[in-house]
Amino acid sequence: MASYLDKQDLKDIDEQIKWAQIDKDVLRSLENPRWSYWVAFAFCVALLAIAVTAETYQYLYGMGYANLNWPHMWDLYIATFVFWIGMSHSGTLLSAILHIVQADWRKPIYRFAEAMTTFTLMTAMLFPVVHVGRLWNVYWTLPYLSDRGIWPNFRSPLIWDAFAVFTYLTSSALFLFIGSIPDLAICRDNATGWRKKLYTVLALGWQGTDHQWRHFRKAYLIMACFLIPLAVSVHSIVSSDFSMSLNPGWHVTTFPPYFVAGALYSGCAGIMTLFILLRHFFRFEKYMTLSIFEKNAKLTFAIAMVWTYLNLIEFSSVWYGHSVADKEVLWTKFTGAYAPYFWSMIFIGSVLPFTLCFQRLRRNLPLMFVISIIFNIGMWLERWMIIAPTLQLSYHPIAWNVMWPSAVQWGIVLGSIGWFGLLFLVFVKIIPSVSMYEVKEMVYHRKHGEDATVAPEPSYSLSGGGGAAGVHPAAAKPDPEGGQQ
Amino acid sequence: MSKHRVLGLFKDFEGATAAITDMREGKVPGANIDDVTVMSPIAPHPAIEDALGHRTTPVGKFTLAGGTFGVTFGFLFISSAQANFLVQPQGGKPVVPLPTNFIPTYEMLILFSVLFTLVGLIIFARLGRPMRGLYSEKVSLDQIGVMVDNLDDRQYEAVKSLFQERNALEIREEVINK
């Protein structure tokens, strides 16, 4: 076992794996996870219970118990909303962008990254609901005609948010579903009982015909092409919630790219965390290899450096802009009440990624698991440090106030991790978290030494006569066990 | 007169491609290449697509239609809603501001493009309908299926022997009553 894994360390995947073995390994994950899966499940349920308790308390006794008061009207809730929206960019990056550039190492891991996109968006969308406080009026957040015949203000970035996040959730959920159809057919063909019925419905009658594959590939490519500008627009629009205002610290032109870089960063860090967990839960060492993990780690490092650069751009443009109020907010970030959090963010976001430069550290998965979680804490701090210092120090001295979130806010924020984790853990027990058909393609193309993009010369004789004269040698001798390869 | 349908299961793409190429070269007199369907666990090998001949997909046209609809609907929806604001003082600002309307319109463009693409996929890939023809679970596992439809008795025998020549692992057949 050890020698097998050592050999595996050097490759993205072992191209000698039989297709039937891929199906067997992945389908087994739907039935038989390690006990640690159930520990994680229980942990998420516990976190969610904390959130439900906190939300019930806030609902019964009012928003004041969350320490939400003027000028800190949206604090942790909006920071966590932005954090979860940012995490959602992982799926788009790994699935759509790497699909278009045909980086085949994404194939064993893109499915769970796409799922992460959908579930982080579902988690993010809870926060406007929680933040509204009066849950019975939550529909006011939707762009609809009011009873006084007035439409919402379409000039407001908050309305753009509603359009963008809804579009992103719909598109990414469909992208996830469409990409899963061939695998759902495999599940259908191998399942029994209630799973058989479920997969029969979800597979939509997929038979793997050349007609279906042709339309499928086209549709998948088109959706991938649309998802990339959509993802960029979503986080740009979220950044507009702040940058379109005139508040010091927020009215910054670099906010949209800064938000997108932060989103990709936290998305990549999230992928690192879930990669390590799934590899452990489902014994996916053969598919989620160290080589693939390293590629993702290097990508994370590159994005971390982009994020660092954009931070410097933001700070220097504020500093040399000579706007007194903006400068004061920046200086308060450096030295004020929130300074420990701010410098933690800088350390985690810009210095800690250098651990990813060392192969020995990159290959230490327990260490990487801890570091990836710290990255995400750093990215969460980034969002909080965007919100709180500006709310603390706006234009009017009467509104200057440092506020610390209450246990109610912390409870709901922690509970959102439980909600996301629960959705994700249920998903990976029902839908294969490794794409079987894409891994088969990866193995096939690597084994045959082909670039997946280039049609190889047929290895049989087109002018061959009858019999086996024109047949590829591999086909000339039937394999009694049957099957590809 | 009854017609036949035959499914040959092959070990790999090479065998399947060779069988299709034989048919294309006229080894099954009167057989139509459009009646040949390949079933595979992964997207068919480019050599198979060459052997099957050029087959197009109109899914992209649905995307174009969706995008056009999305832009039109998105802009008209927002603009017509804003036209209701005429009763309110605008403070010198345009009733229908183009730069800000661009953003929700852009989102609608993407949303409807994606939705129409999905509809196109469902229609053309015949998704959501009962499975038709011969199907083997082995084609979702590790074998390549070549199914030929609308064969008369003579063609049916020719296809079966051709599949055997090309080392098909298994041959299934059914009679289509017309």
Side-chain angles (χ1 to χ4, degrees):
Chain A
M1 185 66 176
S3 63
Y4 174 80
L5 291 179
D6 292 345
K7 196 171 68 178
Q8 269 298 102
D9 287 352
L10 305 171
K11 293 179 180 176
D12 290 342
I13 199 154
D14 176 10
E15 60 271 13
Q16 300 305 324
I17 300 178
K18 299 277 186 193
W19 283 2
Q21 186 64 38
I22 295 169
D23 284 5
K24 191 177 165 190
D25 290 340
V26 177
L27 292 173
R28 188 190 61 200
S29 75
L30 303 178
E31 301 282 350
N32 183 25
R34 281 199 163 107
W35 61 270
S36 47
Y37 169 91
W38 297 108
V39 173
F41 195 90
F43 180 67
C44 290
V45 171
L47 286 179
L48 184 61
I50 292 171
V52 170
T53 308
E55 171 58 25
T56 307
Y57 194 74
Q58 179 180 282
Y59 178 83
L60 292 176
Y61 297 104
M63 301 297 282
Y65 282 90
N67 264 9
L68 281 181
N69 206 343
W70 183 80
H72 290 267
M73 300 306 292
W74 51 356
D75 220 65
L76 283 200
Y77 293 154
I78 193 74
T80 313
F81 167 78
V82 177
F83 169 76
W84 284 115
I85 294 277
M87 285 273 276
S88 70
H89 283 51
S90 57
T92 312
L93 173 73
L94 256 181
S95 194
I97 298 177
L98 296 183
H99 174 68
I100 286 172
V101 301
Q102 293 176 337
D104 75 344
W105 60 267
R106 68 179 254 291
K107 291 183 175 180
I109 60 172
Y110 81 89
R111 172 72 48 71
F112 81 77
E114 281 178 10
M116 197 172 137
T117 294
T118 303
F119 298 133
T120 48
L121 285 170
M122 288 169 69
T123 310
M125 288 177 83
L126 290 179
F127 279 90
V129 177
V130 170
H131 170 64
V132 163
R134 290 178 287 178
L135 294 181
W136 56 95
N137 286 333
V138 72
Y139 62 93
W140 286 2
T141 57
L142 301 174
Y144 77 105
L145 186 67
S146 78
D147 53 3
R148 287 177 294 158
I150 298 172
W151 286 89
N153 181 9
F154 289 102
R155 295 189 186 100
S156 164
L158 296 176
I159 291 293
W160 305 344
D161 255 358
F163 278 93
V165 176
F166 175 75
T167 301
Y168 195 30
L169 178 60
T170 308
S171 303
S172 58
L174 290 176
F175 192 57
L176 171 64
F177 173 64
I178 294 295
S180 305
I181 289 175
D183 278 352
L184 291 167
I186 297 173
C187 294
R188 173 199 64 203
D189 293 346
N190 291 279
T192 53
W194 67 269
R195 281 184 181 268
K196 178 96 176 170
K197 289 177 189 164
L198 176 70
Y199 296 132
T200 301
V201 173
L202 292 178
L204 298 176
W206 178 267
Q207 290 176 274
T209 65
D210 59 292
H211 296 276
Q212 289 180 327
W213 279 114
R214 194 168 45 257
H215 301 307
F216 171 84
R217 282 191 303 185
K218 182 81 172 180
Y220 195 72
L221 180 65
I222 289 171
M223 289 173 95
C225 291
F226 275 107
L227 268 184
I228 296 166
L230 176 60
V232 173
S233 78
V234 167
H235 226 49
S236 305
I237 288 170
V238 170
S239 79
S240 302
D241 292 347
F242 308 100
S243 59
M244 292 274 177
S245 77
L246 297 175
N247 282 324
W250 286 354
H251 194 58
V252 183
T253 50
T254 54
F255 253 31
Y258 177 58
F259 268 56
V260 173
L264 294 175
Y265 190 176
S266 55
C268 279
I271 287 171
M272 287 171 68
T273 310
L274 294 179
F275 180 109
I276 295 167
L277 284 177
L278 290 180
R279 180 182 149 108
H280 175 73
F281 289 159
F282 299 130
R283 304 171 182 89
F284 275 153
E285 289 83 359
K286 275 189 273 185
Y287 307 101
M288 298 185 180
T289 58
L290 281 178
S291 174
I292 293 176
F293 183 82
E294 283 202 275
K295 287 186 169 72
N296 187 57
K298 289 173 188 169
L299 192 62
T300 309
F301 175 75
I303 294 169
M305 293 303 104
V306 172
W307 179 84
T308 302
Y309 169 74
L310 287 167
N311 259 317
L312 292 173
I313 289 285
E314 187 200 330
F315 298 157
S316 55
S317 58
V318 169
W319 192 258
Y320 292 108
H322 297 303
S323 158
V324 175
D326 281 311
K327 246 174 141 171
E328 200 158 340
V329 168
L330 184 63
W331 191 248
T332 305
K333 282 183 183 177
F334 292 162
T335 60
Y338 297 109
Y341 303 99
F342 175 80
W343 290 113
S344 299
M345 170 198 98
I346 294 293
F347 176 79
I348 293 169
S350 299
V351 180
L352 197 60
F354 281 91
T355 54
L356 303 177
C357 296
F358 302 98
Q359 191 184 54
R360 185 182 291 270
L361 299 181
R362 279 200 309 264
R363 289 177 169 245
N364 184 337
L365 291 186
L367 176 70
M368 282 294 115
F369 180 68
V370 174
I371 286 179
S372 67
I373 288 176
I374 296 175
F375 282 156
N376 270 314
I377 292 171
M379 287 299 99
W380 182 85
L381 282 173
E382 180 215 355
R383 277 56 179 240
W384 193 33
M385 287 305 99
I386 288 170
I387 314 285
T390 289
L391 293 178
Q392 176 208 344
L393 204 68
S394 58
Y395 283 112
H396 300 294
I398 193 175
W400 290 356
N401 180 30
V402 175
M403 189 223 71
W404 300 104
S406 72
V408 169
Q409 276 202 65
W410 286 116
I412 290 175
V413 168
L414 281 176
S416 69
I417 299 169
W419 166 254
F420 164 76
L422 212 52
L423 289 173
F424 187 81
L425 289 173
V426 169
F427 174 85
V428 295
K429 275 281 282 159
I430 295 176
I431 308 291
S433 48
V434 169
S435 170
M436 290 179 273
Y437 73 95
E438 292 244 38
V439 171
K440 286 175 185 174
E441 281 184 0
M442 182 182 181
V443 167
Y444 180 85
H445 290 301
R446 292 207 173 196
K447 186 176 180 184
H448 290 74
E450 295 167 10
D451 180 339
T453 63
V454 179
E457 288 298 317
S459 52
Y460 55 86
S461 165
L462 281 172
S463 58
V471 184
H472 185 277
K477 190 177 172 187
D479 179 354
E481 293 176 6
Q484 180 75 17
Q485 312 161 79
Chain B
M1 180 184 171
S2 64
K3 291 275 188 180
H4 301 264
R5 178 181 288 142
V6 180
L7 171 68
L9 294 175
F10 293 85
K11 175 176 172 280
D12 50 28
F13 279 119
E14 284 79 4
T17 310
I20 296 167
T21 306
D22 283 350
M23 272 186 274
R24 200 172 184 86
E25 287 173 351
K27 295 201 173 155
V28 180
N32 186 348
I33 199 70
D34 291 335
D35 289 332
V36 177
T37 302
V38 174
M39 289 185 258
S40 54
I42 65 173
H45 194 280
I48 278 226
E49 296 193 326
D50 289 345
L52 288 171
H54 185 61
R55 291 178 174 179
T56 58
T57 169
V59 169
K61 290 175 184 164
F62 267 69
T63 311
L64 180 64
T68 310
F69 176 79
V71 165
T72 312
F73 169 76
F75 186 76
L76 288 179
F77 167 66
I78 295 162
S79 305
S80 58
Q82 286 164 331
N84 287 334
F85 293 167
L86 279 173
V87 295
Q88 296 177 325
Q90 297 295 315
K93 294 177 185 169
V95 175
V96 178
L98 295 181
T100 56
N101 282 11
F102 171 78
I103 291 166
T105 303
Y106 178 77
E107 299 300 328
M108 291 294 100
L109 156 74
I110 292 179
L111 178 64
F112 282 99
S113 298
V114 168
L115 291 176
F116 275 52
T117 303
L118 175 69
V119 171
L121 173 66
I122 288 172
I123 292 171
F124 293 111
R126 295 182 55 85
L127 296 177
R129 299 187 216 178
M131 292 164 75
R132 63 175 186 170
L134 291 164
Y135 178 73
S136 167
E137 289 162 0
K138 291 173 185 169
V139 299
S140 74
L141 181 68
D142 60 356
Q143 294 182 11
I144 314 299
V146 178
M147 186 169 72
V148 191
D149 266 316
N150 293 324
L151 298 170
D152 60 29
D153 292 339
R154 195 167 47 87
Q155 292 168 331
Y156 160 68
E157 291 300 334
V159 167
K160 270 179 70 175
S161 65
L162 189 150
F163 280 176
Q164 280 161 354
E165 273 178 28
R166 291 301 180 185
N167 300 312
L169 301 169
E170 184 183 338
I171 296 173
R172 296 185 183 185
E173 56 199 67
E174 69 177 3
V175 176
I176 316 168
N177 292 314
K178 291 221 168 176

